[in-house]
Amino acid sequence: MKLTEHFTLEEFTRSSIASRLKIDNSVPTELMPNIKFAAAKLELVRQALGKPIIITSGYRCPALNARVGGVSTSAHTKGLAVDFHSSYGTPKEICQRLIDAGVQFDKLIQEHNQWVHIGFSPNNNRQIVLTAVKQGGKTVYLNGLR
């Protein structure tokens, strides 16, 4: 199912972990408006970067989210967050470009210098920018880009 010009529902739900563990990662009907909203916002991300983006994690049902170690309040479980990368540049460069372009988001996280997490809110985009790093074997979130 095509959500926008460049994004499909399959991109939002694809998960090798869900496939391997036989977890049904289908989006509940009541969350489809969120998925469509996030896809529309991703079009703005793609436009700001001027390059395609590859979604590595979009919607996660609660079982999948728990299995990958996500917090129970994760925006992924609401269809309002996406992890991605792009040939535009490093995760830090991508985040800086999105900030400079004025893209509206709730949370933007440069995660372990490997991918970008972006979350959206239909009501209140807080423009929170964080950097996730490992310290003592645990992920910690630092304010700003590092």
Side-chain angles (χ1 to χ4, degrees), residues 43-133:
E43 288 290 347
L44 300 175
V45 169
R46 189 181 195 279
Q47 184 178 6
L49 297 176
K51 300 273 185 184
I53 66 174
I54 312 307
I55 297 172
T56 56
S57 182
Y59 171 74
R60 294 184 202 144
C61 69
L64 176 59
N65 190 61
R67 191 61 190 213
V68 300
V71 296
S72 62
T73 57
S74 171
H76 284 281
T77 64
K78 298 171 186 75
L80 292 171
V82 170
D83 296 339
F84 73 94
H85 58 85
S86 170
S87 64
Y88 177 86
T90 66
K92 184 177 181 180
E93 291 168 337
I94 291 168
C95 289
Q96 190 62 60
R97 174 66 189 133
L98 297 179
I99 293 164
D100 293 346
V103 172
Q104 295 296 299
F105 52 83
D106 187 50
K107 275 189 191 173
L108 183 66
I109 308 173
Q110 183 214 161
E111 301 230 27
H112 311 288
N113 205 31
Q114 294 181 4
W115 68 88
V116 174
H117 166 98
I118 191 164
F120 305 104
S121 171
N123 306 317
N124 180 28
N125 284 303
R126 300 173 291 170
Q127 300 298 113
I128 295 171
V129 179
L130 302 169
T131 298
V133 296

Coordinates of all heavy atoms in Angstrom, one line a residue, residues 43-133:
E43 N 8.3 12.7 3.9 CA 8.4 13.4 2.6 C 9.2 14.7 2.8 O 10.0 15.0 2.0 CB 7.1 13.6 1.9 CG 6.4 12.3 1.4 CD 7.1 11.7 0.2 OE1 8.0 12.3 -0.4 OE2 6.8 10.5 -0.1
L44 N 8.9 15.4 3.9 CA 9.6 16.7 4.2 C 11.0 16.4 4.6 O 11.9 17.2 4.2 CB 8.9 17.5 5.3 CG 7.4 17.8 5.0 CD1 6.8 18.5 6.2 CD2 7.3 18.7 3.8
V45 N 11.3 15.3 5.3 CA 12.7 14.9 5.6 C 13.4 14.6 4.3 O 14.5 15.1 4.1 CB 12.7 13.7 6.6 CG1 14.0 13.1 6.7 CG2 12.1 14.1 7.9
R46 N 12.8 13.8 3.5 CA 13.5 13.5 2.2 C 13.7 14.7 1.4 O 14.8 14.9 0.8 CB 12.5 12.5 1.4 CG 13.2 11.9 0.2 CD 12.1 11.0 -0.5 NE 12.7 10.1 -1.4 CZ 13.1 10.4 -2.7 NH1 12.9 11.7 -3.1 NH2 13.6 9.5 -3.5
Q47 N 12.8 15.6 1.3 CA 13.0 16.9 0.6 C 14.1 17.7 1.1 O 14.9 18.2 0.4 CB 11.7 17.7 0.6 CG 11.7 18.9 -0.2 CD 10.3 19.7 -0.1 OE1 9.4 19.3 0.6 NE2 10.2 20.7 -0.9
A48 N 14.2 17.8 2.5 CA 15.3 18.6 3.1 C 16.7 18.0 2.8 O 17.6 18.7 2.6 CB 15.1 18.6 4.6
L49 N 16.7 16.7 2.7 CA 18.0 16.0 2.5 C 18.3 16.0 1.0 O 19.5 15.9 0.6 CB 18.0 14.6 3.0 CG 17.8 14.4 4.5 CD1 17.7 12.9 4.9 CD2 19.0 15.1 5.3
G50 N 17.3 16.0 0.2 CA 17.6 15.9 -1.3 C 18.1 14.5 -1.7 O 18.6 14.4 -2.8
K51 N 17.8 13.6 -0.8 CA 18.3 12.2 -1.1 C 17.2 11.2 -0.6 O 16.5 11.6 0.4 CB 19.6 11.9 -0.4 CG 20.7 12.7 -0.8 CD 21.4 12.1 -2.0 CE 22.7 12.9 -2.3 NZ 23.4 12.5 -3.4
P52 N 17.1 10.0 -1.1 CA 16.2 9.0 -0.5 C 16.6 8.7 0.9 O 17.8 8.8 1.3 CB 16.4 7.8 -1.5 CG 16.9 8.4 -2.7 CD 17.8 9.5 -2.3
I53 N 15.7 8.2 1.7 CA 16.0 7.7 3.0 C 15.5 6.2 3.1 O 14.6 5.8 2.4 CB 15.3 8.5 4.1 CG1 13.8 8.4 4.1 CG2 15.8 10.0 4.0 CD1 13.2 9.1 5.3
I54 N 16.3 5.4 3.8 CA 16.0 4.0 4.0 C 15.5 3.8 5.4 O 16.2 4.1 6.4 CB 17.2 3.1 3.8 CG1 18.0 3.5 2.6 CG2 16.9 1.7 3.9 CD1 17.4 3.5 1.3
I55 N 14.2 3.4 5.6 CA 13.6 3.1 6.9 C 14.1 1.8 7.4 O 14.0 0.8 6.7 CB 12.1 3.1 6.8 CG1 11.5 4.5 6.4 CG2 11.5 2.7 8.1 CD1 10.0 4.5 6.1
T56 N 14.8 1.8 8.6 CA 15.3 0.6 9.2 C 14.3 0.1 10.3 O 14.3 -1.1 10.6 CB 16.7 0.8 9.7 OG1 16.7 1.8 10.7 CG2 17.7 1.0 8.6
S57 N 13.5 1.0 10.8 CA 12.5 0.6 11.8 C 11.4 1.6 11.8 O 11.7 2.8 12.1 CB 13.1 0.4 13.2 OG 12.2 0.0 14.1
G58 N 10.2 1.2 11.6 CA 9.1 2.1 11.6 C 8.1 1.7 12.7 O 8.5 1.7 13.9
Y59 N 6.9 1.3 12.3 CA 6.0 0.8 13.3 C 6.5 -0.4 13.9 O 7.0 -1.3 13.3 CB 4.6 0.6 12.6 CG 3.6 -0.1 13.6 CD1 3.1 0.6 14.6 CD2 3.4 -1.5 13.4 CE1 2.2 0.0 15.5 CE2 2.5 -2.1 14.3 CZ 2.0 -1.4 15.4 OH 1.1 -2.0 16.3
R60 N 6.3 -0.5 15.3 CA 6.5 -1.7 16.0 C 5.3 -2.1 16.9 O 5.0 -1.2 17.7 CB 7.7 -1.5 16.9 CG 9.1 -1.3 16.3 CD 10.1 -1.2 17.3 NE 11.3 -0.5 16.9 CZ 12.0 0.3 17.6 NH1 11.7 0.5 18.9 NH2 13.1 0.9 17.1
C61 N 4.8 -3.2 16.7 CA 3.7 -3.7 17.6 C 4.3 -3.8 19.0 O 5.6 -3.9 19.1 CB 3.1 -5.0 17.1 SG 4.2 -6.4 17.2
P62 N 3.5 -3.8 20.0 CA 4.1 -3.9 21.4 C 5.0 -5.1 21.6 O 6.1 -5.0 22.2 CB 2.9 -4.0 22.3 CG 1.9 -3.2 21.5 CD 2.1 -3.5 20.1
A63 N 4.7 -6.3 21.0 CA 5.5 -7.5 21.2 C 6.9 -7.3 20.5 O 7.9 -7.6 21.1 CB 4.8 -8.7 20.6
L64 N 6.9 -6.7 19.3 CA 8.2 -6.5 18.6 C 9.0 -5.4 19.4 O 10.2 -5.6 19.5 CB 7.9 -6.1 17.2 CG 9.1 -5.7 16.4 CD1 10.1 -6.9 16.3 CD2 8.7 -5.2 15.0
N65 N 8.3 -4.4 19.8 CA 9.0 -3.3 20.5 C 9.7 -3.8 21.8 O 10.8 -3.5 22.0 CB 8.0 -2.2 20.9 CG 8.7 -1.0 21.4 OD1 9.5 -0.4 20.7 ND2 8.4 -0.6 22.6
A66 N 9.0 -4.7 22.5 CA 9.6 -5.3 23.7 C 10.8 -6.1 23.3 O 11.8 -6.1 24.0 CB 8.5 -6.1 24.5
R67 N 10.6 -6.9 22.3 CA 11.7 -7.8 21.9 C 13.0 -7.1 21.4 O 14.1 -7.6 21.7 CB 11.2 -8.7 20.7 CG 12.0 -9.8 20.3 CD 12.2 -10.8 21.5 NE 13.2 -11.7 21.2 CZ 13.2 -13.0 21.6 NH1 12.2 -13.4 22.4 NH2 14.2 -13.8 21.3
V68 N 12.8 -5.9 20.9 CA 14.0 -5.1 20.4 C 14.5 -4.2 21.6 O 15.5 -3.4 21.4 CB 13.8 -4.3 19.1 CG1 13.4 -5.3 18.0 CG2 12.8 -3.2 19.3
G69 N 13.9 -4.3 22.7 CA 14.3 -3.5 23.9 C 13.8 -2.1 23.9 O 14.4 -1.2 24.6
G70 N 12.8 -1.8 23.1 CA 12.2 -0.4 23.2 C 11.4 -0.2 24.4 O 10.9 -1.1 25.0
V71 N 11.3 1.1 24.8 CA 10.5 1.4 26.0 C 9.0 1.3 25.6 O 8.6 1.5 24.5 CB 10.8 2.8 26.5 CG1 12.2 2.9 27.0 CG2 10.5 3.9 25.5
S72 N 8.2 1.0 26.6 CA 6.8 0.8 26.4 C 6.0 2.0 25.8 O 5.0 1.9 25.2 CB 6.1 0.3 27.6 OG 6.1 1.2 28.6
T73 N 6.6 3.2 26.1 CA 6.0 4.4 25.6 C 6.5 4.9 24.3 O 6.3 6.0 23.8 CB 6.2 5.5 26.6 OG1 7.6 5.7 26.9 CG2 5.5 5.2 27.9
S74 N 7.3 4.0 23.6 CA 8.0 4.4 22.3 C 7.0 4.9 21.3 O 5.9 4.3 21.1 CB 8.7 3.2 21.8 OG 9.1 3.4 20.5
A75 N 7.3 6.0 20.6 CA 6.5 6.5 19.5 C 6.4 5.5 18.4 O 5.5 5.6 17.6 CB 7.1 7.8 19.1
H76 N 7.4 4.6 18.3 CA 7.3 3.5 17.3 C 6.0 2.7 17.4 O 5.4 2.3 16.4 CB 8.5 2.6 17.4 CG 9.8 3.1 16.9 ND1 10.1 3.1 15.5 CD2 10.8 3.6 17.5 CE1 11.3 3.7 15.4 NE2 11.8 3.9 16.6
T77 N 5.5 2.5 18.6 CA 4.3 1.7 18.9 C 3.1 2.4 18.5 O 2.0 1.8 18.4 CB 4.2 1.2 20.3 OG1 4.1 2.3 21.2 CG2 5.4 0.4 20.7
K78 N 3.2 3.7 18.3 CA 2.0 4.6 17.9 C 2.1 4.9 16.4 O 1.2 5.6 15.9 CB 2.0 5.8 18.7 CG 1.9 5.6 20.2 CD 2.1 6.9 21.0 CE 2.1 6.7 22.5 NZ 3.3 6.0 23.0
G79 N 3.2 4.4 15.7 CA 3.3 4.7 14.3 C 3.8 6.1 14.1 O 3.6 6.7 13.0
L80 N 4.4 6.8 15.1 CA 4.8 8.2 14.9 C 6.4 8.3 15.0 O 6.8 9.5 15.1 CB 4.2 9.0 16.1 CG 2.7 9.2 15.9 CD1 2.1 9.8 17.2 CD2 2.3 10.0 14.7
A81 N 7.1 7.2 14.8 CA 8.6 7.4 14.8 C 9.2 6.4 13.8 O 8.6 5.4 13.5 CB 9.2 7.0 16.2
V82 N 10.3 6.8 13.3 CA 11.0 6.0 12.3 C 12.5 6.2 12.5 O 13.0 7.2 12.9 CB 10.7 6.6 10.8 CG1 11.6 6.0 9.8 CG2 9.3 6.4 10.5
D83 N 13.2 5.0 12.4 CA 14.7 5.0 12.4 C 15.1 4.9 10.9 O 14.5 4.1 10.2 CB 15.3 3.9 13.2 CG 14.9 3.9 14.6 OD1 14.6 5.0 15.1 OD2 15.0 2.9 15.3
F84 N 16.1 5.6 10.5 CA 16.5 5.6 9.1 C 17.9 6.0 8.9 O 18.6 6.5 9.8 CB 15.6 6.5 8.3 CG 15.8 8.0 8.5 CD1 16.7 8.7 7.6 CD2 15.2 8.7 9.5 CE1 16.9 10.1 7.8 CE2 15.4 10.0 9.7 CZ 16.3 10.7 8.8
H85 N 18.4 5.8 7.7 CA 19.7 6.3 7.2 C 19.5 6.8 5.8 O 18.5 6.6 5.2 CB 20.8 5.3 7.4 CG 20.7 4.1 6.7 ND1 21.0 3.9 5.3 CD2 20.1 2.9 7.0 CE1 20.7 2.7 5.0 NE2 20.2 2.0 6.0
S86 N 20.5 7.6 5.3 CA 20.5 8.1 4.0 C 21.9 8.3 3.5 O 22.8 8.5 4.2 CB 19.8 9.5 4.1 OG 19.9 10.2 2.8
S87 N 22.0 8.3 2.2 CA 23.3 8.6 1.5 C 23.7 10.0 1.7 O 24.8 10.4 1.2 CB 23.3 8.1 0.1 OG 22.3 8.9 -0.7
Y88 N 22.8 10.9 2.2 CA 23.1 12.3 2.4 C 24.4 12.4 3.2 O 25.2 13.3 2.9 CB 21.9 13.0 3.2 CG 22.2 14.4 3.5 CD1 22.0 15.4 2.5 CD2 22.8 14.8 4.7 CE1 22.3 16.8 2.8 CE2 23.1 16.1 4.9 CZ 22.9 17.1 4.0 OH 23.2 18.4 4.2
G89 N 24.6 11.6 4.2 CA 25.8 11.7 5.1 C 25.7 10.9 6.3 O 24.8 10.0 6.5
T90 N 26.5 11.3 7.3 CA 26.5 10.6 8.6 C 25.2 10.9 9.3 O 24.5 11.9 9.0 CB 27.7 11.0 9.5 OG1 27.5 12.4 9.8 CG2 29.0 10.8 8.7
P91 N 24.8 10.2 10.3 CA 23.7 10.5 11.1 C 23.8 11.9 11.7 O 22.8 12.7 11.7 CB 23.6 9.5 12.2 CG 24.2 8.3 11.6 CD 25.3 8.8 10.7
K92 N 24.9 12.3 12.2 CA 25.1 13.7 12.7 C 24.8 14.7 11.6 O 24.1 15.7 11.8 CB 26.4 13.9 13.3 CG 26.6 15.2 14.0 CD 28.0 15.3 14.6 CE 28.2 16.7 15.3 NZ 29.5 16.8 15.9
E93 N 25.4 14.5 10.4 CA 25.2 15.4 9.3 C 23.7 15.5 8.9 O 23.2 16.6 8.6 CB 26.0 15.0 8.1 CG 27.5 15.2 8.3 CD 28.4 14.6 7.2 OE1 27.9 13.6 6.6 OE2 29.5 15.0 7.1
I94 N 23.0 14.3 8.9 CA 21.6 14.3 8.6 C 20.8 15.1 9.6 O 20.0 16.0 9.3 CB 21.1 12.8 8.5 CG1 21.7 12.1 7.3 CG2 19.6 12.8 8.5 CD1 21.5 10.6 7.4
C95 N 21.1 14.9 10.9 CA 20.4 15.6 12.0 C 20.6 17.1 11.8 O 19.6 17.9 11.9 CB 20.8 15.1 13.3 SG 20.2 13.5 13.8
Q96 N 21.8 17.5 11.6 CA 22.1 18.9 11.5 C 21.4 19.6 10.3 O 20.9 20.7 10.4 CB 23.6 19.2 11.3 CG 24.0 20.6 11.4 CD 23.7 21.2 12.8 OE1 24.1 20.8 13.8 NE2 22.8 22.2 12.8
R97 N 21.3 18.8 9.2 CA 20.6 19.3 8.0 C 19.1 19.5 8.3 O 18.5 20.5 7.9 CB 20.8 18.4 6.8 CG 20.0 18.7 5.6 CD 20.4 20.1 5.0 NE 19.5 20.5 4.0 CZ 19.0 21.7 3.9 NH1 19.3 22.6 4.7 NH2 18.1 22.0 2.9
L98 N 18.5 18.6 9.0 CA 17.1 18.7 9.3 C 16.8 19.8 10.2 O 15.8 20.5 10.1 CB 16.6 17.3 9.9 CG 16.7 16.1 9.0 CD1 16.2 14.9 9.7 CD2 16.0 16.4 7.7
I99 N 17.7 20.1 11.2 CA 17.6 21.2 12.1 C 17.7 22.5 11.3 O 16.9 23.4 11.4 CB 18.6 21.2 13.2 CG1 18.4 20.0 14.1 CG2 18.7 22.5 14.0 CD1 19.5 19.6 15.0
D100 N 18.8 22.6 10.5 CA 19.0 23.8 9.7 C 17.9 24.1 8.7 O 17.6 25.3 8.4 CB 20.3 23.7 8.9 CG 21.5 23.7 9.8 OD1 21.4 24.0 11.0 OD2 22.6 23.3 9.3
A101 N 17.2 23.0 8.2 CA 16.1 23.2 7.2 C 14.8 23.5 7.9 O 13.8 23.8 7.2 CB 16.0 21.9 6.4
G102 N 14.8 23.5 9.2 CA 13.5 23.8 9.9 C 12.5 22.7 9.9 O 11.3 23.0 10.1
V103 N 12.9 21.5 9.7 CA 12.0 20.4 9.7 C 11.4 20.3 11.1 O 12.1 20.3 12.1 CB 12.7 19.1 9.3 CG1 11.7 17.9 9.5 CG2 13.1 19.1 7.9
Q104 N 10.1 20.1 11.2 CA 9.4 20.0 12.5 C 9.4 18.6 13.0 O 9.0 17.7 12.2 CB 8.0 20.6 12.4 CG 7.9 22.1 12.1 CD 8.5 22.9 13.3 OE1 8.0 22.8 14.4 NE2 9.6 23.6 13.0
F105 N 9.8 18.3 14.2 CA 9.8 17.0 14.7 C 9.5 17.1 16.2 O 9.7 18.1 16.9 CB 11.1 16.3 14.5 CG 12.3 17.1 14.9 CD1 12.8 17.1 16.2 CD2 13.0 17.8 13.9 CE1 13.9 17.8 16.5 CE2 14.1 18.6 14.3 CZ 14.6 18.6 15.6
D106 N 9.2 15.9 16.8 CA 9.1 15.9 18.3 C 10.5 15.6 18.9 O 11.0 16.3 19.7 CB 8.0 14.9 18.7 CG 7.8 14.9 20.2 OD1 7.6 16.0 20.7 OD2 7.8 13.9 20.9
K107 N 11.1 14.5 18.4 CA 12.4 14.1 18.8 C 13.2 13.7 17.6 O 12.8 13.0 16.7 CB 12.3 12.9 19.8 CG 12.1 13.2 21.2 CD 12.3 11.9 22.0 CE 11.8 12.1 23.4 NZ 11.8 10.9 24.2
L108 N 14.5 14.1 17.7 CA 15.5 13.8 16.7 C 16.7 13.3 17.4 O 17.2 14.0 18.3 CB 15.8 15.0 15.8 CG 16.8 14.8 14.7 CD1 16.2 14.0 13.6 CD2 17.2 16.2 14.1
I109 N 17.0 12.0 17.2 CA 18.1 11.4 17.9 C 19.1 10.8 16.9 O 18.8 10.0 16.1 CB 17.6 10.3 18.8 CG1 16.5 10.7 19.7 CG2 18.8 9.7 19.7 CD1 15.8 9.6 20.5
Q110 N 20.4 11.2 17.1 CA 21.5 10.6 16.4 C 21.9 9.4 17.3 O 22.3 9.5 18.4 CB 22.7 11.6 16.3 CG 23.8 10.9 15.5 CD 25.2 11.3 16.0 OE1 26.1 10.6 15.7 NE2 25.4 12.4 16.8
E111 N 21.6 8.2 16.8 CA 21.8 7.0 17.6 C 23.1 6.3 17.2 O 23.2 5.7 16.2 CB 20.6 6.0 17.3 CG 19.3 6.7 17.7 CD 18.4 5.8 18.6 OE1 18.9 5.0 19.4 OE2 17.2 6.0 18.6
H112 N 24.0 6.3 18.2 CA 25.2 5.6 18.1 C 26.0 5.8 16.9 O 26.8 5.0 16.4 CB 25.0 4.1 18.3 CG 24.1 3.8 19.5 ND1 24.5 3.9 20.8 CD2 22.8 3.4 19.6 CE1 23.5 3.6 21.6 NE2 22.5 3.3 20.9
N113 N 25.8 7.0 16.3 CA 26.4 7.4 15.0 C 26.2 6.3 13.9 O 27.0 6.1 13.0 CB 27.9 7.7 15.1 CG 28.4 8.6 14.1 OD1 27.7 9.4 13.6 ND2 29.7 8.5 13.6
Q114 N 25.0 5.6 14.0 CA 24.7 4.6 13.0 C 23.4 4.9 12.3 O 23.3 4.5 11.1 CB 24.6 3.2 13.7 CG 26.0 2.8 14.2 CD 25.9 1.4 14.9 OE1 24.8 0.8 14.9 NE2 27.0 0.9 15.5
W115 N 22.4 5.5 13.0 CA 21.2 5.8 12.3 C 20.5 7.0 13.0 O 21.0 7.5 14.0 CB 20.2 4.6 12.3 CG 19.7 4.2 13.7 CD1 18.6 4.7 14.3 CD2 20.2 3.3 14.6 NE1 18.4 4.1 15.5 CE2 19.4 3.2 15.7 CE3 21.4 2.4 14.5 CZ2 19.7 2.4 16.8 CZ3 21.6 1.6 15.6 CH2 20.8 1.6 16.7
V116 N 19.5 7.5 12.4 CA 18.7 8.6 12.9 C 17.3 8.2 13.3 O 16.7 7.4 12.6 CB 18.6 9.7 11.8 CG1 17.7 10.9 12.3 CG2 19.9 10.3 11.4
H117 N 16.9 8.6 14.5 CA 15.5 8.4 14.9 C 14.8 9.7 14.8 O 15.4 10.7 15.3 CB 15.5 7.9 16.4 CG 14.2 7.9 17.0 ND1 13.4 6.8 17.2 CD2 13.5 9.0 17.6 CE1 12.2 7.2 17.8 NE2 12.3 8.5 18.1
I118 N 13.7 9.7 14.2 CA 12.9 10.9 14.2 C 11.4 10.5 14.6 O 10.9 9.6 14.1 CB 12.9 11.6 12.8 CG1 12.3 13.0 12.9 CG2 12.3 10.8 11.7 CD1 12.6 13.9 11.7
G119 N 10.9 11.3 15.5 CA 9.5 11.1 16.0 C 8.7 12.4 15.7 O 9.3 13.5 15.8
F120 N 7.5 12.2 15.5 CA 6.6 13.3 15.2 C 5.4 13.3 16.1 O 5.0 12.2 16.6 CB 6.0 13.2 13.7 CG 7.1 13.0 12.7 CD1 7.4 11.8 12.1 CD2 7.8 14.2 12.3 CE1 8.4 11.7 11.1 CE2 8.8 14.1 11.4 CZ 9.1 12.8 10.8
S121 N 4.8 14.5 16.3 CA 3.6 14.6 17.1 C 2.6 15.4 16.3 O 2.9 16.4 15.8 CB 3.9 15.3 18.4 OG 2.7 15.6 19.1
P122 N 1.4 14.9 16.3 CA 0.3 15.7 15.6 C 0.0 17.0 16.3 O -0.6 17.9 15.8 CB -0.9 14.7 15.5 CG -0.5 13.5 16.2 CD 0.9 13.6 16.7
N123 N 0.3 17.0 17.6 CA -0.1 18.2 18.4 C 1.0 19.1 18.9 O 0.8 20.3 19.0 CB -0.9 17.6 19.7 CG -2.0 16.7 19.3 OD1 -2.7 17.0 18.4 ND2 -2.1 15.6 20.0
N124 N 2.1 18.6 19.3 CA 3.2 19.4 19.9 C 4.6 18.9 19.6 O 5.1 18.0 20.3 CB 2.9 19.3 21.4 CG 4.0 20.2 22.2 OD1 4.5 21.1 21.7 ND2 4.2 19.8 23.4
N125 N 5.2 19.4 18.5 CA 6.5 19.0 18.2 C 7.5 19.8 19.1 O 7.6 21.0 18.9 CB 6.8 19.2 16.7 CG 6.1 18.2 15.9 OD1 6.4 17.0 16.1 ND2 5.3 18.5 15.0
R126 N 8.2 19.1 20.0 CA 9.0 19.8 21.0 C 10.4 20.1 20.5 O 11.1 20.8 21.2 CB 9.1 18.9 22.2 CG 7.7 18.6 22.8 CD 7.8 17.6 24.0 NE 8.1 16.3 23.4 CZ 8.4 15.2 24.2 NH1 8.5 15.3 25.5 NH2 8.6 14.1 23.6
Q127 N 10.8 19.6 19.3 CA 12.1 19.9 18.7 C 13.2 19.5 19.7 O 14.2 20.2 19.9 CB 12.3 21.4 18.4 CG 11.3 21.9 17.3 CD 11.4 21.2 16.0 OE1 10.5 20.5 15.6 NE2 12.4 21.4 15.3
I128 N 13.1 18.3 20.3 CA 14.1 17.7 21.2 C 15.2 17.1 20.3 O 14.9 16.3 19.4 CB 13.5 16.7 22.2 CG1 12.5 17.4 23.1 CG2 14.6 16.0 22.9 CD1 11.7 16.5 23.9
V129 N 16.4 17.4 20.6 CA 17.6 16.9 19.8 C 18.5 16.2 20.8 O 18.9 16.8 21.8 CB 18.4 18.0 19.1 CG1 19.5 17.4 18.4 CG2 17.4 18.7 18.1
L130 N 18.8 14.9 20.6 CA 19.6 14.1 21.5 C 20.6 13.3 20.7 O 20.5 13.1 19.5 CB 18.7 13.1 22.3 CG 17.6 13.7 23.1 CD1 16.6 12.6 23.6 CD2 18.1 14.5 24.3
T131 N 21.6 12.8 21.4 CA 22.6 11.9 20.9 C 22.7 10.7 21.8 O 22.9 10.9 23.0 CB 24.0 12.6 20.8 OG1 23.9 13.7 19.9 CG2 25.0 11.6 20.3
A132 N 22.5 9.5 21.2 CA 22.5 8.3 22.0 C 23.9 7.7 21.9 O 24.5 7.6 20.8 CB 21.5 7.3 21.5
V133 N 24.5 7.4 23.1 CA 25.8 6.8 23.1 C 25.8 5.7 24.1 O 25.0 5.6 25.0 CB 26.9 7.8 23.5 CG1 27.0 8.9 22.4 CG2 26.7 8.5 24.8

